[in-house]
């Protein structure tokens, strides 16, 4: 096995520019008259041993590698085919970069792709900038739709839904009994999930009372039946008065009061009890939205369908039926 | 008029009749308690030596007197020992019928209607829309008359010259175009100078110069320019505001008032375009300005009689007479409505400090408008209410509630007895000033109502909005 020695390496460049040694250049005996620009020739006698050799050391003081190349170029000029080769090399570079970008895998590829993307974005911006200055346009030529008068121009208003002309539509739908609702099918809730059996009596053997385990709405004028006779217990902790109602077109949510429970899909009994589960249609007070029918009447109640499970979340989320 | 209270049935009260400015009409006198507004009217007419009997309304400490003096005194427990001051206010001789039905729905615009203005003589109607056209409508047949194309972007403002000869419209592209209202053709190329959209246009009053040549336009780029229609160029540029100028008004005494988003109002003089005064006081954008003589300046020489004048000099004279009568002895008053929920009453000719601050709105004030007789100021606000204030002192009088959406624009009837308001909730409402209640509800628009106008002859109301149709109400 060959032992690697540094000395072997050095042999390859016998007359090489060895940065490690401060060796003079081969022609130091007959120095060419060359004025080295970066170092003043020492004339100071105080500098001792270096002074005499400084004048002879035209440019053989160690320079950065590129400076030697520059120096050579200044003396001898460029190669005859230098510029053509440079141009062709740069042209090939593009293909090489692209091949690299396609082949590189892993983190290397990712880092390269990121750099390349940044360059692409910058290039696009400069192109757009150049394009812009070529056509001088003062104002935006496009006529946008959604014209608003001057007093509303600087104001940000929420994008409006189209006018609601639905009391007539609602009335017609009510008569037909058919509703187009956002959640047409909901998971049916079984009775044992809805009610919990409450044992009562001295020996706790009577089991005719039930406690509702889902969210309910009771209304402001609600008073409980005497506890001895009430069959269905609606705990006050599960009673809600307000719902978070989202307008499907405006995409904004309002906190509106519930007026009543219109229909619970699980059964008519639950509707009469006021139980609110997912898919229930409730009626909410929309007077704060400021809706007006074409006849000029103010709309104050609208239907909404519940979209979450209120007993799990602690709040009622609904979407308005427009 | 006997003195002393001898008869128990017929007690007498010491009264002093004063006009709205405060000057007394005659000496204090004893009046029996069974006089009502009718008898007081006769009395005032006699004392003023009016040839024709003019109607008057009477106010005791800002409450209108509708019943006999006696019952009024009993109800309000006014002391009979002090002299009772009765303020009389002249009312318009003519009475406008309230509009109550939609007589026509004219479609034609392909985008929202942004502004609707009647001509000063009430015979023509122009509307500007988001489809970049200005349309002229025939009021007799209620059909479209002319379509004026030429703007590059939405037409935001239109204004008629007070002599009805020119119609100017400003667009979102910052250009102004002058049209001939009889043919609907543009009277030349568009006037370019503003860099951003036009927010307001106001013509020079006809009594200052006839025929009408100059008008001023305000823009979002912060300056107001005075243009000459015959020279077809900008003669002066009034720059000084740092933010957008939201409204501009040419006053009757030759000064231009501009209100801006930089919370100030600047008063300019028109011969050289120099700034005279700066009125500071608002805390937020100034949205709208109103002058006490605004209606007279808008209608020029035309009034409810519908008389037409042939020569410009005659028009100027008649307009000058009307203006002097309207202005009276007091200075011109200016009211500004702002985003800081308040309005300020100024007397710009006298001082640069506010005369009165009118607070009470709970949302920004979008539009303020003086009544044609200058006695009242009405303000439309985004808090869904319209408030009525005294036009001379600035005191609050009444609030009109009924709209369920922000109120965008208001318009007065020519006799100052009825007020019209258009709102985002797609309804228009007519309010009675005397009873301070809703007179008529005008539903029918399918979408927001952006612009309303009552014709100067009081017969028709026009409204336009986002539903792209123009509705005429009678």
């Amino acid at each position: 096995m060959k032992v690697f020695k540094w000395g072997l390496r050095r042999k390859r460049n016998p007359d090489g520019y060895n940065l490690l040694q401060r060796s003079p250049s081969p022609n130091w005996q007959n120095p060419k008259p060359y004025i080295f620009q970066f170092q003043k020739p020492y004339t100071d006698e105080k500098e001792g041993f270096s002074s005499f050799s400084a004048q002879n050391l035209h440019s053989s003081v160690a320079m950065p590698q590129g400076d030697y190349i520059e120096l050579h170029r200044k003396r001898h000029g460029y190669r005859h085919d230098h510029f053509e080769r440079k141009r062709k090399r740069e042209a090939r570079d593009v293909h090489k970069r692209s091949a690299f970008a396609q082949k590189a895998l892993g983190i290397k590829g990712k880092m390269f792709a990121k750099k390349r993307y940044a360059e692409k974005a910058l290039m696009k911006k400069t192109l757009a900038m150049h394009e812009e200055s070529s056509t001088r346009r003062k104002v935006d030529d496009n006529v946008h739709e959604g014209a608003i008068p001057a007093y509303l121009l600087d104001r940000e208003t929420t994008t409006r839904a189209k006018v609601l002309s639905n009391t007539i539509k609602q009335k017609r739908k009510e008569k037909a009994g058919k509703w187009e609702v956002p959640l047409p099918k909901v998971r049916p809730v079984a009775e044992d999930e809805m009610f919990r059996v409450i044992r009562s009596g001295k020996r706790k053997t009577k089991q005719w009372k039930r406690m509702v385990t889902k969210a309910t709405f009771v209304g402001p004028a609600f008073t409980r039946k005497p506890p001895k006779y009430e069959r269905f217990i609606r705990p006050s902790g599960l009673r809600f008065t307000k719902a978070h109602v989202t307008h499907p077109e405006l995409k904004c949510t309002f906190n509106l009061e519930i007026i009543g429970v219109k229909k619970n899909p699980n059964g008519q009994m639950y509707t009469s009890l006021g139980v609110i589960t997912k898919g229930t249609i409730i009626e909410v007070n929309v007077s704060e939205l400021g809706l007006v029918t074409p006849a000029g009447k103010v709309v104050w109640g609208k239907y909404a369908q519940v979209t979450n499970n209120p007993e799990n979340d602690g709040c009622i989320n609904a979407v308005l039926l427009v | 008029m006997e003195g002393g209270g001898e008869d128990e049935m017929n007690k007498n009260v010491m009264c002093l009749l004063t006009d709205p400015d405060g000057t007394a009409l005659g000496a204090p006198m004893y009046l029996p308690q069974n006089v009502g507004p009718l008898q007081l009217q006769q009395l005032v007419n006699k004392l003023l030596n009016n040839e024709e009997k003019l109607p008057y309304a009477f106010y005791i400490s800002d409450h209108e007197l509708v019943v006999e003096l006696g019952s009024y005194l009993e109800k309000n427990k006014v002391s009979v020992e002090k002299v009772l001051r009765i303020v009389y206010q002249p009312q318009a001789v003519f009475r406008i019928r309230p509009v109550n039905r939609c007589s026509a729905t004219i479609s034609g615009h392909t985008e929202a209607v942004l502004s609707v203005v009647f001509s000063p003589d009430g015979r023509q109607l122009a509307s500007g829309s988001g489809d970049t056209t200005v349309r002229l409508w025939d009021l007799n047949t209620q059909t479209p008359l002319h379509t004026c194309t030429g703007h590059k972007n939405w037409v935001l403002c239109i204004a008629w010259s007070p002599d009805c000869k020119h119609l100017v419209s400003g667009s979102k592209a910052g250009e102004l175009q002058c049209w001939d209202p009889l043919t609907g053709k543009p009277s030349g190329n568009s006037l370019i100078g503003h860099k951003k959209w036009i927010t307001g246009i106001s013509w020079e009053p006809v009594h200052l110069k006839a025929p009408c040549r100059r008008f001023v336009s305000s823009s979002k780029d912060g300056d107001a320019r005075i243009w000459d229609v015959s020279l077809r160029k900008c003669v002066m540029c009034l720059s000084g505001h740092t933010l957008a100028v939201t409204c501009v008004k040419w006053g009757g005494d030759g000064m231009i008032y501009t209100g801006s988003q930089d919370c100030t109002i600047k008063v300019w003089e028109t011969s050289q375009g120099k700034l005279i005064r700066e009125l500071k006081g608002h805390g937020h954008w100034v949205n709208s300005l109103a002058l006490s003589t605004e209606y007279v300046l808008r209608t020029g020489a035309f009034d409810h009689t519908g008389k037409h004048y042939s020569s410009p000099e005659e028009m100027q004279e008649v307009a000058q007479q009307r203006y002097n009568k309207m202005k009276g002895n007091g200075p011109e008053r200016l009211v500004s409505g702002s985003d800081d929920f308040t309005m300020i009453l100024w007397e710009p000719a006298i001082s640069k400090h506010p005369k009165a601050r009118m607070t009470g709105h709970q949302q920004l004030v979008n539009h303020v408008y003086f009544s044609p007789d200058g006695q009242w100021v009405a303000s439309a606000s985004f808090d869904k209410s319209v408030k009525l204030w005294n036009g001379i002192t600035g005191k609050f009088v009444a609030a009109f509630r009924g709209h369920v959406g922000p109120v965008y624009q208001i318009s007065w009837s020519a006799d100052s007895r009825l007020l019209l308001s258009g709102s985002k909730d797609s309804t228009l409402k007519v309010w009675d000033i005397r009873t301070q209640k809703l007179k008529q509800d005008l539903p029918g628009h399918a979408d927001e109502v952006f612009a309303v106008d009552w014709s100067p002859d009081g017969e028709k109301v026009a409204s336009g909005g986002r539903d792209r149709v123009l509705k005429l109400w009678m």
Side-chain angles (χ1 to χ4, degrees):
Chain A
M1 196 165 72
K2 249 190 186 174
V3 175
F4 183 73
K5 279 191 194 170
W6 275 107
L8 281 167
R9 275 217 149 212
R10 281 202 188 150
K11 272 186 192 169
R12 294 218 178 143
N13 296 327
D15 61 331
Y17 301 106
N18 199 335
L19 289 172
L20 297 172
Q21 299 173 19
R22 286 183 168 269
S23 58
S25 84
N27 295 349
W28 74 272
Q29 297 282 353
N30 296 319
K32 281 201 183 145
Y34 178 72
I35 300 164
F36 192 55
Q37 288 158 350
F38 301 109
Q39 280 185 2
K40 271 199 287 191
Y42 275 121
T43 47
D44 201 351
E45 275 170 353
K46 274 192 200 167
E47 290 301 318
F49 67 92
S50 57
S51 62
F52 89 94
S53 58
Q55 288 177 6
N56 295 333
L57 287 176
H58 52 100
S59 51
S60 51
V61 177
M63 284 187 297
Q65 198 168 22
D67 283 3
Y68 284 105
I69 300 174
E70 247 189 62
L71 186 59
H72 182 272
R73 282 199 182 140
K74 278 181 184 149
R75 287 180 186 161
H76 311 290
Y78 286 101
R79 278 176 67 127
H80 67 282
D81 53 2
H82 171 261
F83 293 104
E84 190 181 338
R85 276 181 39 175
K86 183 171 181 188
R87 178 180 57 82
K88 286 175 87 78
R89 187 178 184 201
E90 274 166 13
R92 277 193 301 269
D93 224 8
V94 177
H95 296 280
K96 276 194 185 160
R97 275 191 99 208
S98 155
F100 179 77
Q102 287 174 38
K103 270 195 348 191
L105 299 172
I107 187 70
K108 201 186 218 178
K110 275 194 182 163
M111 282 167 54
F112 188 74
K114 189 169 180 192
K115 257 192 254 165
R116 211 162 145 77
Y117 178 75
E119 279 168 25
K120 178 180 182 179
L122 191 62
M123 177 64 87
K124 272 191 144 185
K125 276 194 192 148
T126 41
L127 281 175
M129 199 175 66
H130 285 304
E131 229 169 273
E132 222 182 64
S133 59
S134 62
T135 56
R136 299 189 73 238
R137 280 178 291 134
K138 261 195 296 180
V139 287
D140 194 4
D141 276 348
N142 300 336
V143 180
H144 299 285
E145 55 168 65
I148 40 174
Y151 51 82
L152 288 177
L153 267 174
D154 270 331
R155 302 190 189 279
E156 279 176 25
T157 47
T158 50
T159 48
R160 284 191 70 255
K162 292 191 190 68
V163 169
L164 317 150
S165 58
N166 12 356
T167 5
I168 304 168
K169 275 193 207 162
Q170 270 193 4
K171 280 202 188 130
R172 269 191 230 145
K173 278 188 190 165
E174 245 181 74
K175 280 196 200 151
K178 261 192 185 180
W179 276 92
E180 217 181 73
V181 286
L183 300 175
K185 286 201 191 128
V186 278
R187 188 180 73 85
V189 181
E191 199 180 313
D192 49 358
E193 195 184 329
M194 185 77 78
F195 296 126
R196 186 184 307 159
V197 179
I198 302 282
R199 288 169 170 263
S200 54
K202 194 170 186 184
R203 308 270 177 267
K204 298 278 186 258
T205 47
K206 301 189 186 191
Q207 291 185 29
W208 52 272
K209 280 182 184 264
R210 298 283 181 277
M211 184 176 79
V212 178
T213 58
K214 307 280 180 192
T216 58
F217 171 75
V218 288
F222 173 73
T223 33
R224 289 168 61 187
K225 276 163 90 158
K228 185 172 179 186
Y229 299 107
E230 72 178 339
R231 195 183 312 177
F232 293 104
I233 301 172
R234 281 166 279 187
S236 60
L238 285 174
R239 292 186 202 158
F240 290 95
T241 47
K242 289 195 168 205
H244 304 307
V245 183
T246 309
H247 195 295
E249 282 157 40
L250 295 177
K251 301 265 186 277
C252 50
T253 312
F254 307 98
N255 199 12
L256 303 175
E257 260 185 41
I258 306 175
I259 300 173
V261 174
K262 174 80 179 163
K263 188 167 170 59
N264 190 313
N266 294 305
Q268 188 261 332
M269 175 175 63
Y270 303 125
T271 311
S272 58
L273 278 177
V275 174
I276 299 181
T277 54
K278 184 169 182 178
T280 313
I281 311 284
I282 55 174
E283 196 175 352
V284 284
N285 184 340
V286 292
S287 49
E288 65 174 55
L289 297 184
L291 309 169
V292 175
T293 63
K297 295 207 173 35
V298 180
V299 177
W300 73 281
K302 280 183 95 52
Y303 293 123
Q305 188 179 32
V306 177
T307 53
N308 73 331
N309 290 315
E311 68 276 2
N312 296 337
D313 301 327
C315 61
I316 303 179
N317 297 339
V319 70
L320 200 64
L321 301 174
V322 283
Chain B
M1 314 292 165
E2 296 108 27
E6 297 117 11
D7 214 355
E8 277 176 348
M9 299 276 287
N10 241 354
K11 289 224 175 61
N12 293 347
V13 190
M14 182 87 146
C15 300
L16 179 64
L17 289 162
T18 58
D19 74 350
D21 294 331
T23 51
L25 179 70
M29 60 192 102
Y30 278 110
L31 291 175
Q33 284 196 12
N34 57 359
V35 297
L38 222 61
Q39 287 93 350
L40 283 172
Q41 241 179 49
Q42 286 175 351
L43 192 63
V44 173
N45 275 319
K46 202 77 192 289
L47 287 170
L48 286 174
N49 294 327
N50 290 335
E51 287 169 0
E52 39 178 272
K53 300 277 175 271
L54 296 171
Y56 288 93
F58 298 93
Y59 295 85
I60 302 179
S61 50
D62 291 336
H63 288 287
E64 195 172 349
L65 178 66
V66 288
V67 293
E68 290 185 350
L69 261 182
S71 25
Y72 180 84
L73 291 176
E74 270 175 37
K75 236 191 337 186
N76 296 45
K77 296 192 191 49
V78 180
S79 153
V80 294
E81 311 211 354
K82 285 191 283 193
V83 177
L84 194 68
R85 281 180 170 270
I86 305 179
V87 181
Y88 67 86
Q89 260 184 28
Q91 302 261 285
V93 181
F94 55 102
R95 186 174 273 276
I96 303 279
R97 239 181 315 138
V99 295
N100 53 5
R101 60 181 186 87
C102 179
S103 72
T105 302
I106 327 172
S107 51
H109 280 298
T110 51
E111 269 286 331
V113 177
L114 301 179
S115 54
V116 167
V117 190
F118 275 98
S119 69
D121 58 359
R123 290 199 190 162
Q124 293 164 299
L125 173 62
S127 66
S129 145
D131 62 359
T132 75
T133 60
V134 173
R135 282 175 203 248
L136 289 158
W137 310 86
D138 185 5
L139 290 171
N140 299 326
T141 58
Q142 297 177 350
T143 50
L145 201 56
H146 299 292
T147 302
C148 318
T149 53
H151 274 298
K152 293 202 179 67
N153 214 321
W154 310 338
V155 178
L156 291 175
C157 322
I158 36 179
W160 288 87
S161 70
D163 60 359
C164 297
K165 295 272 175 13
H166 302 280
L167 173 67
V168 166
S169 55
S171 85
K172 188 160 186 277
E175 47 174 11
L176 290 135
Q177 180 71 272
C178 190
W179 312 91
D180 177 16
L182 298 167
T183 59
K185 301 249 181 308
S187 341
N189 284 339
S190 50
L191 305 166
I192 306 190
H194 280 298
K195 296 186 187 58
K196 290 201 191 153
W197 65 76
I198 310 285
T199 51
I201 308 177
S202 179
W203 280 86
E204 186 172 17
V206 74
H207 67 259
L208 290 175
K209 206 171 185 172
C212 298
R213 280 177 61 176
R214 299 197 299 171
F215 64 90
V216 63
S217 65
S218 62
S219 157
K220 168 138 168 81
D221 61 5
D223 49 37
R225 282 170 191 257
I226 305 183
W227 308 82
D228 190 318
V229 206
S230 19
L231 297 174
R232 308 209 50 78
K233 65 189 197 75
C234 172
V235 289
M236 245 177 279
C237 177
L238 314 169
S239 38
H241 281 294
T242 50
L243 287 174
V245 183
T246 49
C247 50
V248 66
K249 288 271 170 347
W250 202 313
D253 41 7
M255 294 199 271
I256 295 183
Y257 305 94
T258 53
S260 154
Q261 278 178 5
D262 61 5
C263 321
T264 61
I265 302 166
K266 289 196 200 278
V267 186
W268 312 82
E269 60 98 36
T270 49
S271 53
Q272 292 194 348
K274 282 206 225 154
L275 176 67
I276 307 180
R277 260 200 187 96
E278 190 171 342
L279 307 173
K280 289 195 226 194
H282 276 298
H284 210 298
W285 301 352
V286 177
N287 284 332
S288 163
L289 292 175
L291 285 169
S292 53
T293 49
E294 197 175 338
Y295 200 80
V296 163
L297 298 176
R298 177 193 160 188
T299 47
F302 303 104
D303 60 4
H304 65 279
T305 55
K307 215 165 122 185
H308 268 255
Y309 306 96
S310 43
S311 74
E313 289 82 21
E314 221 185 304
M315 247 193 242
Q316 186 168 7
E317 245 185 69
V318 175
Q320 180 78 49
Q321 276 171 18
R322 281 190 83 214
Y323 175 70
N324 289 340
K325 203 172 101 172
M326 180 67 222
K327 188 164 171 257
N329 297 331
E332 216 174 29
R333 297 179 299 275
L334 172 74
V335 166
S336 57
S338 154
D339 255 26
D340 63 359
F341 308 173
T342 66
M343 294 140 55
I344 300 184
L345 177 73
W346 314 84
E347 267 171 6
I350 296 185
S351 101
K352 65 177 174 125
H353 293 290
K355 182 151 179 262
R357 255 187 206 274
M358 295 131 86
T359 59
H361 274 298
Q362 279 137 352
Q363 273 289 312
L364 61 97
V365 180
N366 198 38
H367 193 202
V368 290
Y369 209 150
F370 261 95
S371 69
D373 58 1
Q375 304 294 339
W376 314 101
V377 185
S379 61
S381 156
F382 277 21
D383 67 355
K384 310 173 194 170
S385 72
V386 175
K387 286 197 199 276
L388 187 70
W389 315 78
N390 185 317
I392 304 171
T393 57
K395 261 179 61 178
F396 172 72
V397 173
F400 298 118
R401 289 184 203 282
H403 279 295
V404 290
V407 187
Y408 282 156
Q409 298 267 291
I410 42 183
S411 183
W412 285 90
S413 70
D415 64 348
S416 314
R417 289 197 186 100
L418 299 167
L419 174 64
L420 174 74
S421 59
S423 145
K424 186 177 175 183
D425 66 1
S426 76
T427 61
L428 288 103
K429 292 196 195 310
V430 181
W431 312 91
D432 190 330
I433 300 303
R434 235 180 55 111
T435 58
Q436 292 168 7
K437 287 209 172 27
L438 175 66
K439 189 78 184 244
Q440 189 75 32
D441 191 9
L442 303 171
H445 269 289
D447 211 331
E448 303 178 22
V449 176
F450 284 148
V452 296
D453 197 22
W454 208 313
S455 75
D457 59 6
E459 281 182 32
K460 294 190 184 54
V461 167
S463 64
R466 221 161 181 247
D467 57 354
R468 305 168 189 181
V469 297
L470 193 80
K471 277 188 186 278
L472 280 174
W473 312 78
M474 290 232 271

